[in-house]
Amino acid sequence: MDNLFVMFIFQVILWIILFFLIFYLRKKDSEIRRDLKLLKEAWEKKKRGS
């Protein structure tokens, strides 16, 4: 019974880590997309200016 409880706690900890990892990666992905959009706009502006 004690072994089952330890496995349950271990799974809960892994699920929490997974949740925060997914949350972090989604946030990072949105920042990267925003940066790429700004870079693309700056590049197009530079090409039009030349």
Side-chain angles (χ1 to χ4, degrees):
M1 188 71 184
D2 190 40
N3 193 20
L4 206 60
F5 182 71
V6 170
M7 286 178 62
F8 172 74
I9 296 298
F10 187 67
Q11 271 193 329
V12 168
I13 291 170
L14 286 178
W15 278 109
I16 291 170
I17 291 170
L18 182 65
F19 173 76
F20 281 114
L21 184 65
I22 290 171
F23 181 77
Y24 171 76
L25 290 175
R26 284 186 51 94
K27 183 176 183 237
K28 192 58 117 172
D29 183 51
S30 67
E31 291 174 0
I32 290 172
R33 285 178 194 255
R34 180 179 46 86
D35 290 345
L36 285 175
K37 183 181 174 190
L38 290 173
L39 186 64
K40 183 180 175 188
E41 289 172 358
W43 183 257
E44 288 173 354
K45 218 182 251 188
K46 183 181 176 188
K47 280 177 35 178
R48 276 188 258 137
S50 298

